Amino acid sequence: MLQSVLTDHCYPDKALKTLTMDLGFYISRFYTKKSTEDHAEWFPMDYSPNITTEEWLALLADKRVFNTKSLKIMKRIKDCGGMATCKQLSEKYGNNPNYYNSGSSALAKRVAETTECPLMTSHNDNAKWWPILYVGKHADKDMAGNYMWKLRDELSKALDQFDLSEIPLYEEEPQAKISQGKEKQGYWWLNANPKIWRFSDIDIGETQRYTLYNENGNKRRIFQNFLDAKAGDLIIGYESYPVKQVVALAKVLEESDGEYLYFEKTEGLVTPIDYATLKNCPELEKMEYFQNPQGSLFKLTKEEYDFIEDIIREENPITPKENMEAYSKDQFLEEVYMTEERYETLISLLKHKKNLILQGAPGVGKTFAAKRLAYAMMGLKDDSRIAFIQFHQNYSYEDFMMGYKPKEDGFELQYGIFYQFCQKAANIPDQPFFFIIDEINRGNMSKIFGELLMLIEKDYRGTKATLAYNGMPFTVPKNLYMIGMMNTADRSLAMIDYALRRRFSFFEIEPGFHSAGFQSYQSALDHDTFNILIERIKELNQEIAADSSLGPGFRIGHSYFCGQAECTDEWLKEVVEYDILPMLHEYWFDEPDKLQRWENILRGVFNDER
């Protein structure tokens, strides 16, 4: 090929050694370099989540991992040839760039939690998540957007095999919210000074008015914003120093009457959004509040509002409404093995006291009963309105309410599960919420509850008290019910704090062998050995209750014998040998004759000739 274009004047040496050197230089200078650069510019090349195509397929089918939003992102990137910038996706298919940015990070976190795949080490929190899904590189100058993502090969192959036909490619244009002839919807940032007023002081749905004039009678800064706000406009609720967080969402109810602007709080955020989180986002750098924070009401563009709302929903997802299964008193009595009279007492105590402790020996079904008690009061099996925790000796106020915890090179104030659950309950004040605490007497009550000892009391629900950590007022909502469980047979546990004791009602969960529910279960098993063993257990419970060193709180619970669709002698022997007898060894460690007698009685059930 080269001979056809060469002349005698090109290279003087007939062996063409110079040509060979030039050709080698050309290849190394241009082709090899270009190939290396193309390979190196994709980041990261030294990390892999180690997820196979088959594993990606399983994840794609799991709606807890790949929700509809995630599948939309995947389908759109795939439609772009498997690589695109967030800006390109936004312009072509709809939604703002952060929809794809934050949506990908949230998806990658769910993938990591589900698979426990390795994470890339990075000082940037966001940069350790998206490499699970993509490799990336800086976009060319003539492209929309700054950074391009490319689907990992295994994920791309899985998407080729997964049915995405029901997932919309383009975002549907929302119907006009405002009819023709009216002004379009507005978006606002409302700044609250916590030293004067707080969004947490406002109940959900409560009408609040905000004066257009300060305490000196002067117009508030950017006075025109108050005049421009219209009914239906949406509001981001922010609390300034020392809180410095977005804490609520609201909407304008009525435009200003020249003196006041009227709005209502629509949602209190369970997990508030820090000022620094938003301030560091380049998408918000031109936001009116960030240009000059002096004032109260600031204008937001629709893109800015949508961007902030996306960040809010990452930390405060909306629980999808599902068809909840109804739950009735009859179902409770069928499952819990309690008499109807005691059930009515239990419901009455919880409704009137709001705080209840279920106490009893192991095996009486305290935890099982607590959750079903919540179901019965709701009339539904709605787990989204139930929180469940277990106390232990190291559990603290910082875990329960709030406290400073290490983060990177400093400390950050983080909210505990009870604080967040109270915020969640306050958002839906017309529905009951249930906070269930297992092993409540294993924790240091005064250390865990702190100032909450007063606030959880029924008569003080809705009353505000100042919290030690952030100096801000807090209240326990009236629609929150607390259910604790306490083991009365554990000699190693101290009695519950008397200050806390008077704020709870105590209900003894008894063995349910005599309940209609258990007798129905026993009849369904139709097993002679089971029937004889239950009679012996009833006799054993009578002796335990009469024992001055034990008492009724040490009786054997019915749950040891429940949950079987079919009964066998082998299963019954296991219950006796490995559940019941070890407990009796603890009860009567100093009365060997009594222990031996009951060992013979219970083992004799299986030796009787029938």
Side-chain angles (χ1 to χ4, degrees):
M1 182 181 70
L2 290 174
Q3 290 286 0
S4 64
V5 295
L6 288 175
T7 68
D8 294 338
H9 304 289
C10 290
Y11 291 95
D13 58 319
K14 296 189 180 295
L16 298 179
K17 292 181 180 180
T18 307
L19 169 61
T20 304
M21 294 173 61
D22 286 349
L23 185 60
F25 174 80
Y26 180 81
I27 293 173
S28 64
R29 178 67 177 83
F30 293 97
Y31 283 94
T32 305
K33 181 180 178 182
K34 186 176 188 301
S35 175
T36 304
E37 287 176 348
D38 287 345
H39 183 73
E41 62 187 350
W42 289 106
F43 170 86
M45 298 308 298
D46 57 350
Y47 161 78
S48 171
N50 297 329
I51 302 175
T52 65
T53 299
E54 291 71 24
E55 290 170 333
W56 278 119
L57 277 168
L59 291 168
L60 284 165
D62 188 344
K63 294 182 180 179
R64 294 169 301 178
V65 180
F66 278 84
N67 55 31
T68 302
K69 176 179 178 179
S70 304
L71 293 175
K72 284 181 181 179
I73 295 173
M74 294 295 105
K75 184 171 182 175
R76 292 168 187 177
I77 295 179
K78 195 68 178 169
D79 188 63
C80 282
M83 63 181 77
T85 67
C86 292
K87 183 71 171 176
Q88 286 175 328
L89 295 171
S90 172
E91 292 179 351
K92 185 173 181 179
Y93 304 104
N95 297 115
N96 59 61
N98 188 60
Y99 176 91
Y100 302 95
N101 192 348
S102 62
S104 294
S105 293
L107 169 60
K109 289 179 184 179
R110 294 194 296 272
V111 170
E113 290 169 359
T114 303
T115 63
E116 297 183 351
C117 66
L119 299 180
M120 192 183 78
T121 303
S122 173
H123 296 296
N124 185 330
D125 187 60
N126 182 53
K128 76 178 181 182
W129 297 114
W130 63 257
I132 295 174
L133 309 172
Y134 317 113
V135 291
K137 68 176 182 178
H138 290 287
D140 295 337
K141 293 182 179 180
D142 58 346
M143 297 177 72
N146 299 317
Y147 205 77
M148 175 176 284
W149 282 334
K150 183 173 75 169
L151 290 167
R152 287 195 169 273
D153 292 341
E154 297 82 3
L155 175 55
S156 183
K157 291 175 183 176
L159 287 166
D160 288 335
Q161 302 172 44
F162 191 76
D163 183 11
L164 293 171
S165 59
E166 298 298 320
I167 303 300
L169 182 58
Y170 295 93
E171 201 66 33
E172 294 181 8
E173 286 294 329
Q175 294 181 346
K177 297 181 181 179
I178 309 297
S179 59
Q180 191 173 3
K182 295 183 179 181
E183 297 179 81
K184 64 180 182 179
Q185 187 174 46
Y187 304 90
W188 306 96
W189 174 286
L190 181 56
N191 191 15
N193 183 345
K195 298 176 182 177
I196 301 174
W197 71 281
R198 301 192 68 207
F199 280 97
S200 59
D201 296 334
I202 308 170
D203 293 331
I204 299 296
E206 177 186 349
T207 299
Q208 186 76 8
R209 64 181 190 178
Y210 194 88
T211 176
L212 276 62
Y213 299 86
N214 62 25
E215 59 274 12
N216 297 321
N218 298 322
K219 291 181 179 180
R220 294 195 180 276
R221 185 176 176 275
I222 322 181
F223 188 76
Q224 187 62 42
N225 283 351
F226 289 92
L227 303 180
D228 291 342
K230 306 174 299 299
D233 285 358
L234 301 179
I235 297 173
I236 299 291
Y238 176 78
E239 291 185 2
S240 58
Y241 182 84
V243 179
K244 299 186 72 174
Q245 290 177 325
V246 173
V247 298
L249 297 176
K251 71 176 180 180
V252 178
L253 287 178
E254 300 177 29
E255 59 186 59
S256 70
D257 56 8
E259 188 173 356
Y260 296 100
L261 178 69
Y262 297 87
F263 69 93
E264 69 171 354
K265 185 169 84 170
T266 57
E267 181 182 347
L269 301 188
V270 175
T271 304
I273 308 301
D274 289 335
Y275 170 89
T277 300
L278 302 178
K279 189 69 170 68
N280 292 332
C281 296
E283 292 86 351
L284 300 176
E285 61 184 2
K286 296 181 180 179
M287 202 172 89
E288 188 174 60
Y289 176 74
F290 290 154
Q291 298 299 310
N292 185 348
Q294 299 302 313
S296 301
L297 188 66
F298 300 87
K299 191 170 293 184
L300 293 170
T301 65
K302 184 180 187 306
E303 290 73 22
E304 290 168 344
Y305 181 90
D306 289 344
F307 184 89
I308 297 171
E309 187 179 38
D310 282 344
I311 293 176
I312 288 173
R313 289 299 164 225
E314 279 186 52
E315 302 296 333
N316 302 266
I318 297 175
T319 303
K321 292 184 178 180
E322 301 175 355
N323 293 326
M324 302 291 180
E325 181 183 344
Y327 195 85
S328 65
K329 178 177 80 172
D330 292 339
Q331 287 173 284
F332 180 93
L333 295 174
E334 183 180 342
E335 292 183 335
V336 177
Y337 302 159
M338 183 183 293
T339 65
E340 184 175 355
E341 181 181 0
R342 286 177 62 77
Y343 165 80
E344 296 294 349
T345 301
L346 192 58
I347 291 290
S348 178
L349 286 173
L350 188 54
K351 283 184 176 179
H352 291 113
K353 191 79 170 184
K354 292 191 182 292
N355 305 314
L356 177 69
I357 287 180
L358 305 179
Q359 60 181 4
V364 293
K366 300 182 292 295
T367 304
F368 187 83
K371 196 167 188 179
R372 276 144 190 83
L373 176 61
Y375 288 160
M377 283 192 64
M378 290 187 288
L380 295 169
K381 284 188 173 183
D382 186 358
D383 289 322
S384 68
R385 287 190 272 151
I386 299 174
F388 187 97
I389 64 168
Q390 185 179 74
F391 279 177
H392 51 76
Q393 292 177 343
N394 290 327
Y395 207 86
S396 67
Y397 180 89
E398 287 75 14
D399 301 310
F400 195 60
M401 271 296 288
M402 65 174 63
Y404 285 96
K405 296 189 177 181
K407 185 176 181 181
E408 296 177 358
D409 57 348
F411 289 84
E412 179 182 72
L413 183 63
Q414 295 183 4
Y415 297 103
I417 185 172
F418 187 71
Y419 182 95
Q420 293 180 330
F421 195 71
C422 284
Q423 297 295 103
K424 187 175 182 180
N427 281 333
I428 315 177
D430 59 340
Q431 295 183 11
F433 282 70
F434 298 85
F435 195 84
I436 301 175
I437 307 172
D438 193 21
E439 304 286 2
I440 191 170
N441 56 330
R442 286 188 180 275
N444 184 328
M445 297 296 101
S446 298
K447 175 183 174 184
I448 294 171
F449 279 87
E451 63 272 87
L452 298 177
L453 283 176
M454 179 189 77
L455 298 182
I456 64 172
E457 195 169 346
K458 177 189 175 183
D459 294 338
Y460 290 98
R461 293 295 182 91
T463 301
K464 293 180 173 60
T466 301
L467 298 177
Y469 270 96
N470 63 1
M472 293 296 136
F474 174 80
T475 182
V476 177
K478 296 179 180 180
N479 62 323
L480 188 144
Y481 297 85
M482 298 184 70
I483 304 174
M485 283 85 76
M486 189 168 79
N487 183 356
T488 56
D490 194 334
R491 301 175 197 260
S492 67
L493 298 180
M495 293 298 291
I496 197 166
D497 188 294
Y498 283 105
L500 193 67
R501 176 175 285 274
R502 74 176 186 84
R503 292 170 167 88
F504 282 81
S505 290
F506 286 73
F507 186 90
E508 186 82 25
I509 299 289
E510 299 180 341
F513 297 113
H514 297 284
S515 69
F518 185 85
Q519 291 172 359
S520 175
Y521 165 73
Q522 184 175 349
S523 298
L525 289 179
D526 191 22
H527 195 276
D528 291 339
T529 306
F530 184 90
N531 296 336
I532 295 171
L533 180 58
I534 295 302
E535 290 304 313
R536 299 293 87 81
I537 295 296
K538 290 178 182 177
E539 295 167 5
L540 173 61
N541 278 343
Q542 290 177 354
E543 185 159 345
I544 291 173
D547 192 317
S548 59
S549 65
L550 297 174
F554 289 78
R555 290 174 292 177
I556 306 300
H558 57 271
S559 67
Y560 290 109
F561 305 95
C562 293
Q564 298 295 312
E566 184 178 347
C567 181
T568 64
D569 281 5
E570 288 73 19
W571 167 62
L572 292 174
K573 286 179 182 179
E574 290 175 359
V575 172
V576 169
E577 291 293 337
Y578 302 107
D579 291 324
I580 308 303
L581 291 181
M583 197 180 308
L584 297 184
H585 275 267
E586 287 190 24
Y587 287 179
W588 289 318
F589 67 94
D590 55 350
E591 296 185 71
D593 293 341
K594 184 182 290 188
L595 176 61
Q596 184 63 57
R597 178 165 61 85
W598 275 105
E599 284 182 343
N600 294 337
I601 291 172
L602 295 178
R603 286 170 176 160
V605 170
F606 306 101
N607 299 326
D608 291 344
E609 292 183 8
R610 297 188 296 278

